Each structure stands twice: as structure tokens, then as C-alpha cells.
Amino acid sequence: MDESGVNTVRIFDTTLRDGEQSPGASLTSAEKIDIARQLARLGVDIIEAGFPAASPDDLEGVRRVANEVGTPDGPVICGLARATPGDIDKAWEAVRDAAKPRIHTFLATSDIHMQHKLRMTREQVVARTREMVAYARHYCDDVEFSPEDAGRSDPAFLVEVLAAAIEAGATTLNIPDTVGYLAPAEYFMLMETLIRETPGGDGVIWSVHCHDDLGLATANTLAGLQAGARQAEVTINGIGERAGNTSLEEVAMALHTRPTFYHLTTNIDTTQITRTSRMVSNYTGMPVQPNKAIVGANAFSHEAGIHQDGILKHQATYEIMTPETVGLSQSNLVLGKHSGRHAFRVRLEELGYEMEDADLNLAFQRFKELADKKKTVTDADIEALIADEFYGPDEVFTMEGIQVACGQMGMPTATIKLSGPDGTTRIEAAVGAGPIDATYQAIDRIVGVPNTLVEFRVAAITEGIDALGEVTVRIRRDENGRRTFGGHGADTDIIVASAKAYLAAINKMLAFTGFEDRQPEGDSSTIRVSVGAAR
Ligand code: KIV
Ligand code: ZN
């Protein structure tokens, strides 16, 4: 607490762990690194980088975040583990190289979970908690314990389990409302009771972790903080299991906007919020709903005449926070076709991108191409351009060219040129029900991995007829389970953006599922043009 009585809440971001558990939100380890770097820039205190025991890929992803982002002045890097020696070994292996590593272990404590999932008695759960927290502590000084489904657990039993965890060396106790069941007043009372009643509770950090099944995650999180918790577990855009987790931006901005009510602060640089939100949305392929608090496209737009009139007279009439506070630039006239390389570099640096000369040259070239097509280039345009060019999964297939003919008079036809994993370049043409269908069919012929398009969305990044179009798609590899893969593309030409998004999703799918058994149509070593029927 500082002299004015203000306490700091630690922000524990679990976008890369609970968030990645959202259906279709798979992230490659390169994407995880980019997001982790951005989370560090945003000022989060702890990054939960993944669940290392889930797969070798997950372990490698967490290890890379620990090595590349877990610097001495960077965030704590945390790995999740079930309360078993095997999981804890893997979590430690993944985070040990971070300057500030943390192991987060959990065990369910609700009767329903203990009886039906764990098949353990209360005594066994207390004993396992004690044993596994001590096991984690023999590796690491920073150990967090979570009684899973605490929201539906008996508070008296929770006190017993949490006291055992403290005795065994836990330094943070996290109280998850795993199924988003509690009301804010109940969660407040639960947190207050546990903090007051648990022996040793005054020597640990109490943490809140809420899910949004009833739309109460942020309200519950704020209630838990009012009850004395000093760590909030959150995700960007509120992504996560089922209805998601508490969203970081809502908690950070509630505390920022209402300091005299909460008397709580965070280390978050709020001006990085919009950018982080866009990055997570682009990489996960999960669009943000337009009316989403803080980061939705409509969060700062005023439609009603009375509101517009009020805003023009005094901004505070209808705005409790300014768009600039969350990093949403008001000025649309950021850069134009006459802007030079220096101005472009300065703007990139202001947006947080530091680039080597070669990357900067490439980005500047892309910017000039865009500025030739578009009168003004906004921050959102620059971010889309950078995301498109430099981020995303490693490319197995790269688009070398696209040509589409469509309209009422003829058959929509797309011709695509891709370079592939075997070092060859192929051209395919296809006829489809529309230009996007034709494009996707032509790509499919070259890639040769059957998949189903489960979602396709188009949006404009900025206003105006020359706006960049942004396409998000989600695909599922046929005969490969329920997992879906998202892709994102941006371009002034909506068909090109659609092709980029589809190819990004395909590259991500191949990064996760491999491409050895792919069966492209025809001979992959030659350039081939064939026209197929509409599907
Ligand atoms: O919701 C939950 O219970 C969790 C735990 C693993 C902390 O995510
Ligand atoms: Zn959770």
C-alpha cells in the first residue's frame, strides 16, 4: 500500500493458457512469443504461458516464453500443473530459465469434482495438496495453488485445504470460480471468509480467477478484489474456456476509471490495451464483438444525435474514459503517401514496434503500397499491415499471386500461385459459386489437405470506401477431431484478404497437424493450370 492508501493489484494474464483453451484459439509457439512480448509491454505482472504437461509443443512454447520474455525486469513466467509429480516436473522444466519462474498447481475441492472426477476423499485431497505444493516448492520459491471449482466447494473444507497449502509453502492462493456459478456478493463473502479464516492467510497473496458463464466474471473479480485479493487472473478480450475468463481490459479500466471507489491500481500501461486486443484477436482468429466493453469497435462511437451533440459540447458528457487512454488514436490522419521512412519508423516505435533495418524496409515498402491505395493510413492499418507481414505461423505455403474474375456475366474464376514446402511454385485455377469459393478451391488443389471452412467473417478496419478489409476464418482438418484453426488477413482488396486469411489458417493447421500425408492434385513439381467445376 502507498502513503495515500492505494494498493496495487498484480495482473496475472492467462491468455496463453486458459485463453488458448477457447475452441479454435490454438497458437503456434512463435505467436505465443509475440503475444508474451506484447503482454510484457502492456505491463502484466505474471504471464501464465501454458500447461507444459499437455504436450511437448506446449512445453516448448512455455520454455520459449520463459527464455525470451522472462528477463529480470520482465514479468514472472508461470506454468500450470495438475497436482502430480509428472506435471510439476514438466512445469518446472518449462519455466526454470525465466528470471522469475512460478509453478501453479491445482486440485479440485468441490464434492462433485472429488467424487466423480478425482474419486478422492477430502482427506486424500488435503494430503495430496500438502505433498504436491511441497514438491513444487522444492523446485521453486514462487508456488501458486488453486482449489479447482472453489466456487462450489464447502468453505470450511477450503480453509482446511488452503491452510495445508500454506504450510507446505504456497505463496499465492488462487480461488477459481471454475464454472462461473457465483454471484458477486457470494464471491465477495467467500473471499473475505477465506482470507480471514485461513491460518497463515495474512502471509500470502490472495488471487481471484472467474469464468463468465453467467456474464459475471468481471463483477466477481472486482468483488474479490474489494474483499482483499491482490492478484487478478484475466485474459485479453476475455477469451477462455466456454464463455471465457474475466477480461483484463475491463478490470484494468474499472480500477483506472474509478480510483476513488476502489482505491486500487495496477501496473498496466492502459495505452497498450487496444493493440494487445487486436493482436490476440488476429492470432486466435476470435473476433471481438462490436459492443464489447473497452475494446469493441463501438466502445467509443456515439450514434444518437443527443449523444453526439453532448460529446461535441463536452467530451465527458457521454465518455467516462477517453479513447486515447486505451491506445485508440483519435487522429485518422496518421500518415499518408507523402510520409517518409523516418516518420514511418517513428510512428512504428510509438506503437511499440522496434525493427531491424531489413524488416523496416519491407514494412515501409508495404506501407507505401497501402498509402498509394488509401488516402490516410491509420494506426489500425499499420498494425494490420505489420501483423500480416511479420506475424502468424511459419509459412508452409506462401501466396505469390492471385487473379480473380467475377460478376453476373460469367463464372467466378480464381487463379492462384503458391510456393510450397517442397520449394516448388504451382498455379491452379478453379471455378466456384463465387470469387471466394473459387479462390479457396484453387488453394485447396495445391495444398491437398481436405478441410472444412467452419467460419468466415469480413469487417472493415477503418471507415471509408478505401478501408482495409479484414477477414477472419476458422477451418477444421477433415478426419482430425474437433480442433479448429483460425487465420486472419487484411488488404484493401477483400478477395486478397480472404485468400491471406485462408492460407494463414491452413499454415497454422499444418503447423499443428503436419503435412507429410497431403495429396495435392497433380504433379507438385510443375506449374499446372486446371479448371474444376463449382462444388
Ligand atoms: O478455472 C479454473 O479452475 C482454472 C484452474 C486451473 C486455475 O483455470
Ligand atoms: Zn480457469
Side-chain angles (χ1 to χ4, degrees), residues 60-92:
E60 182 53 19
V62 179
R63 214 184 51 75
R64 280 193 63 189
V65 172
N67 277 282
E68 295 175 38
V69 188
T71 55
D73 53 355
V76 171
I77 308 296
C78 174
L80 183 71
R82 284 165 297 195
T84 66
D87 270 33
I88 293 172
D89 291 343
K90 291 215 163 69
W92 178 240

Short mmCIF file of all heavy atoms in Angstrom, two decimals, residues 60-92:
data_model
loop_
_atom_site.label_atom_id
_atom_site.label_comp_id
_atom_site.label_asym_id
_atom_site.label_seq_id
_atom_site.Cartn_x
_atom_site.Cartn_y
_atom_site.Cartn_z
N GLU A 60 7.37 -26.74 -24.99
CA GLU A 60 8.32 -25.93 -25.75
C GLU A 60 7.87 -24.47 -25.83
O GLU A 60 8.69 -23.55 -25.70
CB GLU A 60 8.47 -26.55 -27.16
CG GLU A 60 9.45 -25.87 -28.08
CD GLU A 60 10.86 -25.68 -27.49
OE1 GLU A 60 11.19 -26.37 -26.50
OE2 GLU A 60 11.57 -24.80 -28.00
N GLY A 61 6.55 -24.26 -26.01
CA GLY A 61 6.02 -22.89 -26.08
C GLY A 61 6.30 -22.15 -24.77
O GLY A 61 6.76 -21.00 -24.78
N VAL A 62 6.05 -22.80 -23.63
CA VAL A 62 6.27 -22.14 -22.33
C VAL A 62 7.78 -21.89 -22.13
O VAL A 62 8.19 -20.83 -21.66
CB VAL A 62 5.71 -23.00 -21.17
CG1 VAL A 62 5.95 -22.32 -19.83
CG2 VAL A 62 4.21 -23.25 -21.36
N ARG A 63 8.59 -22.88 -22.53
CA ARG A 63 10.04 -22.74 -22.36
C ARG A 63 10.56 -21.53 -23.15
O ARG A 63 11.36 -20.75 -22.67
CB ARG A 63 10.73 -24.03 -22.84
CG ARG A 63 11.99 -24.40 -22.05
CD ARG A 63 12.66 -25.63 -22.66
NE ARG A 63 12.85 -25.47 -24.09
CZ ARG A 63 13.79 -24.70 -24.65
NH1 ARG A 63 14.63 -24.04 -23.90
NH2 ARG A 63 13.87 -24.59 -25.97
N ARG A 64 10.04 -21.38 -24.38
CA ARG A 64 10.49 -20.24 -25.19
C ARG A 64 10.07 -18.92 -24.57
O ARG A 64 10.84 -17.96 -24.54
CB ARG A 64 9.91 -20.34 -26.61
CG ARG A 64 10.69 -21.31 -27.48
CD ARG A 64 10.30 -21.15 -28.93
NE ARG A 64 10.63 -19.82 -29.47
CZ ARG A 64 10.21 -19.40 -30.66
NH1 ARG A 64 9.44 -20.17 -31.41
NH2 ARG A 64 10.55 -18.21 -31.11
N VAL A 65 8.85 -18.87 -24.03
CA VAL A 65 8.41 -17.62 -23.37
C VAL A 65 9.31 -17.34 -22.17
O VAL A 65 9.77 -16.21 -21.95
CB VAL A 65 6.93 -17.70 -22.95
CG1 VAL A 65 6.54 -16.49 -22.10
CG2 VAL A 65 6.01 -17.81 -24.17
N ALA A 66 9.62 -18.40 -21.39
CA ALA A 66 10.48 -18.23 -20.20
C ALA A 66 11.84 -17.68 -20.61
O ALA A 66 12.37 -16.75 -19.99
CB ALA A 66 10.63 -19.56 -19.47
N ASN A 67 12.40 -18.22 -21.68
CA ASN A 67 13.73 -17.80 -22.11
C ASN A 67 13.73 -16.42 -22.74
O ASN A 67 14.64 -15.63 -22.52
CB ASN A 67 14.29 -18.81 -23.14
CG ASN A 67 14.90 -19.99 -22.44
OD1 ASN A 67 16.01 -19.92 -21.93
ND2 ASN A 67 14.17 -21.09 -22.38
N GLU A 68 12.73 -16.13 -23.56
CA GLU A 68 12.79 -14.90 -24.35
C GLU A 68 12.09 -13.70 -23.71
O GLU A 68 12.41 -12.57 -24.03
CB GLU A 68 12.22 -15.17 -25.76
CG GLU A 68 13.11 -16.17 -26.51
CD GLU A 68 12.55 -16.57 -27.87
OE1 GLU A 68 11.99 -15.72 -28.55
OE2 GLU A 68 12.69 -17.76 -28.23
N VAL A 69 11.13 -13.97 -22.83
CA VAL A 69 10.38 -12.84 -22.24
C VAL A 69 10.60 -12.75 -20.72
O VAL A 69 10.38 -11.70 -20.13
CB VAL A 69 8.87 -12.96 -22.57
CG1 VAL A 69 8.08 -11.73 -22.15
CG2 VAL A 69 8.65 -13.22 -24.07
N GLY A 70 11.05 -13.85 -20.12
CA GLY A 70 11.21 -13.88 -18.66
C GLY A 70 12.51 -13.26 -18.20
O GLY A 70 13.30 -13.90 -17.50
N THR A 71 12.77 -12.00 -18.58
CA THR A 71 14.01 -11.30 -18.22
C THR A 71 13.90 -10.77 -16.78
O THR A 71 12.79 -10.70 -16.23
CB THR A 71 14.22 -10.12 -19.18
OG1 THR A 71 13.03 -9.32 -19.13
CG2 THR A 71 14.44 -10.59 -20.60
N PRO A 72 15.04 -10.35 -16.18
CA PRO A 72 14.98 -9.88 -14.79
C PRO A 72 13.99 -8.73 -14.58
O PRO A 72 13.34 -8.66 -13.55
CB PRO A 72 16.42 -9.44 -14.49
CG PRO A 72 17.25 -10.24 -15.44
CD PRO A 72 16.42 -10.44 -16.68
N ASP A 73 13.88 -7.82 -15.54
CA ASP A 73 12.91 -6.74 -15.33
C ASP A 73 11.57 -7.03 -16.04
O ASP A 73 10.69 -6.18 -16.10
CB ASP A 73 13.49 -5.37 -15.77
CG ASP A 73 14.01 -5.42 -17.18
OD1 ASP A 73 13.99 -6.53 -17.77
OD2 ASP A 73 14.41 -4.36 -17.72
N GLY A 74 11.42 -8.24 -16.54
CA GLY A 74 10.16 -8.63 -17.18
C GLY A 74 9.21 -9.30 -16.20
O GLY A 74 9.45 -9.33 -14.99
N PRO A 75 8.12 -9.86 -16.71
CA PRO A 75 7.12 -10.48 -15.83
C PRO A 75 7.57 -11.83 -15.28
O PRO A 75 8.50 -12.45 -15.81
CB PRO A 75 5.91 -10.67 -16.75
CG PRO A 75 6.46 -10.66 -18.13
CD PRO A 75 7.73 -9.88 -18.12
N VAL A 76 6.90 -12.28 -14.23
CA VAL A 76 7.03 -13.65 -13.74
C VAL A 76 6.47 -14.57 -14.83
O VAL A 76 5.44 -14.25 -15.44
CB VAL A 76 6.19 -13.83 -12.44
CG1 VAL A 76 6.13 -15.29 -12.02
CG2 VAL A 76 6.73 -12.95 -11.33
N ILE A 77 7.14 -15.70 -15.10
CA ILE A 77 6.60 -16.65 -16.08
C ILE A 77 6.15 -17.90 -15.34
O ILE A 77 6.92 -18.52 -14.59
CB ILE A 77 7.65 -17.03 -17.16
CG1 ILE A 77 8.25 -15.77 -17.80
CG2 ILE A 77 7.01 -17.95 -18.21
CD1 ILE A 77 7.30 -14.89 -18.59
N CYS A 78 4.88 -18.25 -15.58
CA CYS A 78 4.25 -19.31 -14.80
C CYS A 78 3.82 -20.46 -15.71
O CYS A 78 3.39 -20.24 -16.84
CB CYS A 78 3.04 -18.67 -14.12
SG CYS A 78 2.00 -19.80 -13.25
N GLY A 79 3.96 -21.68 -15.20
CA GLY A 79 3.47 -22.86 -15.92
C GLY A 79 2.45 -23.59 -15.05
O GLY A 79 2.66 -23.72 -13.83
N LEU A 80 1.36 -24.06 -15.66
CA LEU A 80 0.31 -24.74 -14.90
C LEU A 80 0.62 -26.24 -14.80
O LEU A 80 1.17 -26.83 -15.74
CB LEU A 80 -1.04 -24.55 -15.60
CG LEU A 80 -2.25 -25.16 -14.88
CD1 LEU A 80 -2.59 -24.38 -13.60
CD2 LEU A 80 -3.49 -25.21 -15.78
N ALA A 81 0.24 -26.84 -13.67
CA ALA A 81 0.47 -28.28 -13.47
C ALA A 81 -0.67 -28.86 -12.64
O ALA A 81 -1.09 -28.24 -11.65
CB ALA A 81 1.78 -28.49 -12.72
N ARG A 82 -1.19 -30.05 -13.03
CA ARG A 82 -2.07 -30.75 -12.10
C ARG A 82 -1.23 -31.13 -10.89
O ARG A 82 0.01 -31.10 -10.95
CB ARG A 82 -2.65 -32.00 -12.76
CG ARG A 82 -3.75 -31.71 -13.76
CD ARG A 82 -4.03 -32.90 -14.63
NE ARG A 82 -2.85 -33.22 -15.42
CZ ARG A 82 -2.83 -34.03 -16.49
NH1 ARG A 82 -3.93 -34.60 -16.89
NH2 ARG A 82 -1.72 -34.27 -17.15
N ALA A 83 -1.89 -31.53 -9.80
CA ALA A 83 -1.14 -31.86 -8.58
C ALA A 83 -0.57 -33.27 -8.68
O ALA A 83 -0.99 -34.19 -7.95
CB ALA A 83 -2.04 -31.68 -7.36
N THR A 84 0.36 -33.45 -9.62
CA THR A 84 1.06 -34.73 -9.77
C THR A 84 2.55 -34.43 -9.97
O THR A 84 2.88 -33.39 -10.57
CB THR A 84 0.57 -35.54 -10.99
OG1 THR A 84 0.95 -34.81 -12.18
CG2 THR A 84 -0.93 -35.76 -10.99
N PRO A 85 3.43 -35.35 -9.54
CA PRO A 85 4.87 -35.08 -9.73
C PRO A 85 5.22 -34.91 -11.20
O PRO A 85 6.01 -34.03 -11.56
CB PRO A 85 5.54 -36.34 -9.14
CG PRO A 85 4.53 -36.93 -8.22
CD PRO A 85 3.17 -36.59 -8.78
N GLY A 86 4.61 -35.72 -12.08
CA GLY A 86 4.94 -35.65 -13.51
C GLY A 86 4.63 -34.27 -14.08
O GLY A 86 5.45 -33.68 -14.80
N ASP A 87 3.45 -33.74 -13.78
CA ASP A 87 3.07 -32.41 -14.28
C ASP A 87 3.98 -31.33 -13.71
O ASP A 87 4.37 -30.39 -14.42
CB ASP A 87 1.63 -32.08 -13.86
CG ASP A 87 0.60 -32.54 -14.90
OD1 ASP A 87 0.86 -33.58 -15.54
OD2 ASP A 87 -0.43 -31.86 -15.04
N ILE A 88 4.29 -31.47 -12.43
CA ILE A 88 5.11 -30.42 -11.78
C ILE A 88 6.53 -30.46 -12.35
O ILE A 88 7.13 -29.42 -12.61
CB ILE A 88 5.07 -30.59 -10.23
CG1 ILE A 88 3.64 -30.29 -9.75
CG2 ILE A 88 6.09 -29.69 -9.55
CD1 ILE A 88 3.37 -30.60 -8.29
N ASP A 89 7.06 -31.66 -12.61
CA ASP A 89 8.38 -31.78 -13.25
C ASP A 89 8.38 -31.02 -14.58
O ASP A 89 9.31 -30.27 -14.89
CB ASP A 89 8.73 -33.25 -13.54
CG ASP A 89 8.98 -34.06 -12.27
OD1 ASP A 89 9.20 -33.44 -11.21
OD2 ASP A 89 8.93 -35.31 -12.35
N LYS A 90 7.33 -31.25 -15.36
CA LYS A 90 7.29 -30.63 -16.70
C LYS A 90 7.14 -29.10 -16.58
O LYS A 90 7.75 -28.35 -17.35
CB LYS A 90 6.13 -31.20 -17.51
CG LYS A 90 6.37 -32.66 -17.89
CD LYS A 90 5.79 -32.96 -19.26
CE LYS A 90 6.34 -34.24 -19.84
NZ LYS A 90 5.90 -35.46 -19.16
N ALA A 91 6.30 -28.68 -15.63
CA ALA A 91 6.12 -27.22 -15.46
C ALA A 91 7.45 -26.58 -15.10
O ALA A 91 7.83 -25.52 -15.62
CB ALA A 91 5.07 -26.94 -14.39
N TRP A 92 8.20 -27.24 -14.22
CA TRP A 92 9.49 -26.68 -13.80
C TRP A 92 10.48 -26.66 -14.97
O TRP A 92 11.17 -25.67 -15.21
CB TRP A 92 10.05 -27.46 -12.61
CG TRP A 92 11.40 -26.94 -12.19
CD1 TRP A 92 12.57 -27.61 -12.16
CD2 TRP A 92 11.70 -25.60 -11.76
NE1 TRP A 92 13.59 -26.80 -11.75
CE2 TRP A 92 13.09 -25.54 -11.49
CE3 TRP A 92 10.94 -24.43 -11.59
CZ2 TRP A 92 13.73 -24.40 -11.06
CZ3 TRP A 92 11.59 -23.28 -11.15
CH2 TRP A 92 12.96 -23.27 -10.89
#
